């Protein structure tokens, strides 16, 4: 423990970008240590795109390792700089100030209570994540009004022993949206999910939605726990292109999916209501899209979009993500295309396979493109001369 505290104090004193690994979770936090207390730390965090994403309190008991140097940190430093250079839309980031001599956990909880902030809590010996508003702080208990953006009927009030709270995320982009939306979310009524699952009805349903400002969720057949949220952009004879919305209500690029691979189209749900509210909040603040992305693309419904997307990506060495029929997901760019086959150059750990492998176009079930992570990967490869 002493060595970990020494590492944390070094990161604080030298203002070093670090990765903090946990003992009981796979979640890795990247950022700058801003406070080290007797029982915990405050880390000003960044998201995967290099954007400030609020902060996290971590109990010292769950800090497993502090990483000062790695390829991942180099990549994150590049993304942070790119986000600054390109003036990406970003949340305000950490705005609180903390006294290292006082209990940091209590300070975060008190700030959240006074300022009506949405927070995410992780408790000891509990595998769940809890999002909600702190409605009371006492010596031996914290009262939380839980928020469930997937099911409005599940909004209990819970009393928690503060000593069991191991992680508190606060002031990040999604949590800030929940803070802004809290009052309006309470006014929204629970709706029963409306889902189309019949293969005979899916194509017709999607065609009716083309060009409409209506959010839907597409559930793939091979992974029914996953879903894509967005607006139906184009429907071809065998596929659909969705203009995606990410978890913060911003434009998230495009995904092309074969109709035969769809399990369901969800037309109504509480989560879709939540995302609709998030998109409206972003529009009102004039930040619905990152400046390097294009949300105005239209596609020809009369052509094979899988061949078209692969051919265009090959022509411009554009980074895309493809998903094959066997479930394999690959990030990279297509090279030579012909005879219904293509060479794909995969990017893994920011290393580009210059030789590539051959795949059949008919084996590709999904193509995701025009999204921020792909842009950042492509930009870094070009800056480093690999692409």
């Amino acid at each position: 423990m002493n060595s970990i505290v020494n590492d944390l104090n070094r990161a604080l004193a030298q203002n070093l970008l670090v990765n903090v690994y946990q003992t009981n979770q796979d979640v890795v936090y990247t950022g700058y240590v801003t406070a080290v207390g007797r029982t915990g730390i405050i880390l000003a965090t960044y998201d995967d795109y290099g954007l400030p994403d609020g902060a996290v309190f971590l109990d010292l008991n769950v800090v497993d390792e502090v990483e000062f140097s790695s390829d991942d940190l180099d990549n994150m430093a590049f993304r942070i700089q790119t986000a600054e250079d390109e003036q990406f839309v970003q949340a305000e980031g950490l705005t609180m100030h903390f006294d290292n001599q006082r209990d940091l956990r209590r300070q975060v909880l008190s700030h959240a209570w006074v300022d009506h902030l949405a927070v995410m809590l992780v408790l000891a010996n509990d595998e769940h994540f809890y999002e909600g508003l702190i409605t009371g702080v006492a010596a031996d208990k914290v009262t939380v009004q839980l928020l469930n953006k997937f099911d409005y009927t599940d909004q209990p009030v819970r009393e928690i022993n503060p000593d069991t709270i191991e992680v508190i995320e606060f002031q990040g982009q999604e949590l800030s949206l929940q803070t802004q939306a809290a009052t309006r979310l309470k006014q929204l009524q629970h709706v029963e999910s409306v889902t189309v699952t019949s293969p005979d009805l899916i194509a017709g349903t999607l065609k009716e939605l083309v060009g409409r400002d209506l959010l839907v969720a597409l559930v793939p057949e091979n992974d029914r726990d996953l879903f894509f949220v967005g607006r139906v952009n184009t429907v071809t004879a065998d596929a659909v292109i969705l203009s995606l919305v990410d978890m913060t209500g911003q434009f998230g690029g495009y995904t092309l999916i074969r109709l035969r691979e769809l399990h369901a189209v969800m037309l109504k749900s509480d989560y879709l209501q939540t995302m609709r509210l998030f998109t409206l909040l972003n529009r009102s603040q004039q930040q619905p899209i990152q400046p390097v992305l294009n949300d105005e693309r239209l596609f020809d419904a009369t052509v094979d979009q899988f061949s078209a997307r692969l051919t265009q990506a090959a022509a411009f060495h554009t980074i895309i993500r493809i998903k094959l029929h066997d479930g394999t997901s690959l990030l990279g760019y297509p090279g030579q295309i012909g005879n219904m086959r293509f060479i794909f150059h995969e990017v893994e750990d920011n290393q580009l396979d210059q030789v590539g492998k051959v795949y059949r176009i008919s084996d590709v079930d999904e193509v995701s493109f025009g999204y921020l992570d792909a842009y950042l990967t492509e930009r870094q490869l070009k800056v480093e001369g690999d692409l």
Side-chain angles (χ1 to χ4, degrees):
M1 179 61 73
N2 286 338
S3 63
I4 288 176
V5 172
N6 289 339
D7 285 344
L8 292 165
N9 280 316
R10 173 192 166 196
L12 174 62
Q14 298 181 21
N15 195 34
L16 300 174
L17 183 68
V18 295
N19 279 331
V20 177
Y21 293 83
Q22 300 180 71
T23 57
N24 54 0
Q25 282 191 55
D26 293 332
V27 177
V28 180
Y29 291 105
T30 302
Y32 293 93
V33 178
T34 63
V36 179
R38 187 174 57 83
T39 60
I41 68 165
I42 303 293
L43 190 75
T45 54
Y46 288 80
D47 66 14
D48 292 339
Y49 309 128
L51 291 165
D53 198 32
V56 62
F57 163 85
L58 291 166
D59 189 297
L60 285 176
N61 290 322
V62 302
V63 178
D64 184 55
E65 180 188 351
V66 183
E67 183 177 69
F68 293 93
S69 178
S70 67
D71 289 341
D72 178 69
L73 282 170
D74 290 341
N75 294 338
M76 282 301 300
F78 177 88
R79 291 186 169 207
I80 290 169
Q81 188 60 55
T82 300
E84 293 179 2
D85 293 344
E86 299 284 359
Q87 297 183 318
F88 284 179
V89 173
Q90 56 187 260
E92 193 172 15
L94 178 63
T95 59
M96 299 179 188
H97 299 283
F98 298 95
D99 181 351
N100 289 353
Q101 304 306 311
R102 294 171 50 226
D103 187 285
L104 293 175
R105 178 172 20 224
R106 298 275 179 172
Q107 289 182 68
V108 174
L109 293 170
S110 296
H111 274 301
W113 178 29
V114 171
D115 296 336
H116 306 289
L117 300 178
V119 297
M120 191 283 292
L121 306 176
V122 178
L123 310 181
N125 303 314
D126 190 334
E127 62 184 15
H128 296 96
F129 295 73
Y130 297 98
E131 292 183 349
L133 299 169
I134 306 296
T135 57
V137 177
D140 59 347
K141 68 179 179 182
V142 174
T143 307
V144 186
Q145 169 65 66
L146 295 178
L147 303 172
N148 187 339
K149 51 184 176 282
F150 295 92
D151 182 359
Y152 296 164
T153 66
D154 180 29
Q155 311 270 4
V157 175
R158 178 164 179 176
E159 293 184 347
I160 298 171
N161 180 344
D163 294 336
T164 67
I165 300 174
E166 295 183 335
V167 180
I168 310 171
E169 290 185 11
F170 56 102
Q171 287 197 311
Q173 177 120 346
E174 188 177 358
L175 288 169
S176 294
L177 275 170
Q178 288 202 54
T179 298
Q180 297 172 46
T183 301
R184 292 165 73 176
L185 281 173
K186 291 178 183 177
Q187 298 169 350
L188 292 175
Q189 299 296 312
H190 168 71
V191 297
E192 295 297 328
S193 296
V194 176
T195 304
V196 177
T197 57
S198 169
D200 295 334
L201 298 177
I202 284 178
T205 300
L206 291 171
K207 286 177 181 177
E208 291 178 2
L209 295 169
V210 172
R212 293 177 58 187
D213 189 25
L214 182 70
L215 291 182
V216 299
L218 303 186
V219 183
E221 180 64 52
N222 57 11
D223 189 353
R224 298 183 186 182
D225 292 330
L226 175 72
F227 58 89
F228 301 96
V229 173
R231 298 175 178 87
V232 180
N233 183 300
T234 305
V235 179
T236 71
D238 67 343
V240 56
I241 296 179
L242 202 67
S243 298
L244 297 169
V245 171
D246 67 18
M247 291 186 298
T248 66
Q250 289 188 343
F251 172 70
Y254 304 91
T255 194
L256 167 68
I257 309 175
R258 294 195 189 275
L259 295 178
R260 71 179 187 221
E261 295 305 315
L262 286 179
H263 166 67
V265 178
M266 184 172 290
L267 302 175
K268 289 184 179 181
S269 72
D270 285 349
Y271 185 69
L272 288 174
Q273 289 196 86
T274 303
M275 297 312 299
R276 173 68 175 173
L277 179 54
F278 283 5
T279 62
L280 291 174
L281 285 170
N282 281 324
R283 287 180 193 175
S284 69
Q285 296 163 7
Q286 297 185 322
Q287 50 186 36
I289 183 174
Q290 295 296 349
V292 296
L293 301 182
N294 179 6
D295 64 348
E296 298 180 348
R297 295 183 64 176
L298 298 175
F299 305 91
D300 189 342
T302 66
V303 304
D304 178 358
Q305 281 298 325
F306 283 90
S307 293
R309 293 308 102 226
L310 292 169
T311 300
Q312 186 176 57
F316 295 99
H317 283 193
T318 302
I319 294 297
I320 61 176
R321 182 175 291 280
I322 64 173
K323 191 169 187 178
L324 304 177
H325 193 60
D326 64 5
T328 303
S329 182
L330 304 171
L331 180 72
Y333 76 93
Q336 185 176 349
I337 297 176
N339 195 28
M340 302 308 294
R341 288 175 169 79
F342 64 99
I343 297 173
F344 196 76
H345 301 274
E346 185 180 6
V347 177
E348 194 169 15
D349 297 327
N350 247 54
Q351 298 299 310
L352 179 64
D353 175 7
Q354 299 286 357
V355 176
K357 295 180 181 178
V358 178
Y359 300 96
R360 295 190 304 178
I361 294 176
S362 60
D363 285 339
V364 180
D365 285 344
E366 297 174 15
V367 180
S368 297
F369 58 99
Y371 60 100
L372 194 55
D373 188 69
Y375 168 83
L376 289 164
T377 300
E378 182 179 319
R379 179 183 170 102
Q380 187 168 355
L381 289 170
K382 287 180 177 177
V383 167
E384 294 174 353
D386 295 326
L387 188 61

